[in-house]
Amino acid sequence: MKEEILAKEEELRQAMLESDISHLETLIHDKLIFHIPGGMIVSKKMDLENYRRRKMRVNKLKFLTQKVEVYGDAAVVSVEVEMKGNFDAHDFEGRFRFLRVWKQEEGNWKVVAGASSPLSS
């Protein structure tokens, strides 16, 4: 099961790098709740729209560490990344921690919740 989640994490990483809206659509649950730095909550619609409008661009996304715990039809992933990109005309670069909750429904794993935060240098 952990291998499935790690494969989904890699799919998500690639979809973010490529701004692949159709693939992101399949990986993100319709009821997504995601907290970004600063405390704002992002929905699936908002997330996809940011990629669609090129408001969010990821140029580098390298996984450094990953921890996966599976709980039946749910999994929690903590991942540290090196990330570089642009959001809303502001460049960003650094190390970040993402926490994602994956849920399996009808045989498909989707991100239902998550949060991201910058890490100190």
Side-chain angles (χ1 to χ4, degrees):
M1 200 71 80
K2 284 186 181 183
E3 293 78 21
E4 285 181 62
I5 298 301
L6 290 171
K8 288 295 178 185
E9 282 282 314
E10 178 58 23
E11 285 181 40
L12 182 62
R13 187 183 78 80
Q14 285 297 325
M16 291 171 68
L17 282 168
E18 297 166 8
S19 295
D20 185 342
I21 309 300
S22 61
H23 202 170
L24 288 168
E25 173 80 33
T26 67
L27 294 170
I28 300 171
H29 196 279
D30 290 342
K31 295 180 181 178
L32 174 73
I33 297 173
F34 196 94
H35 292 202
I36 61 173
M40 184 176 169
I41 297 174
V42 176
S43 67
K44 177 180 181 174
K45 180 179 177 183
M46 292 166 65
D47 193 33
L48 294 178
E49 198 59 28
N50 286 335
Y51 281 98
R52 190 173 283 114
R53 291 188 178 176
R54 303 290 291 159
K55 192 174 180 179
M56 176 66 170
R57 291 189 314 261
V58 179
N59 303 340
K60 177 183 181 182
L61 183 56
K62 180 181 177 185
F63 290 168
L64 301 174
T65 63
Q66 287 178 293
K67 180 171 174 60
V68 178
E69 293 295 337
V70 178
Y71 306 93
D73 65 350
V76 176
V77 177
S78 175
V79 59
E80 182 182 344
V81 302
E82 280 183 5
M83 193 172 183
K84 180 178 181 179
N86 185 286
F87 180 74
D88 202 18
H90 299 287
D91 291 335
F92 63 85
E93 182 174 8
R95 288 183 182 222
F96 296 83
R97 168 88 53 208
F98 284 85
L99 182 70
R100 284 189 274 270
V101 179
W102 292 83
K103 175 91 169 91
Q104 189 176 40
E105 289 183 351
E106 299 174 4
N108 298 312
W109 287 98
K110 294 188 179 217
V111 178
V112 295
S116 64
S117 58
L119 298 174
S120 301
S121 300

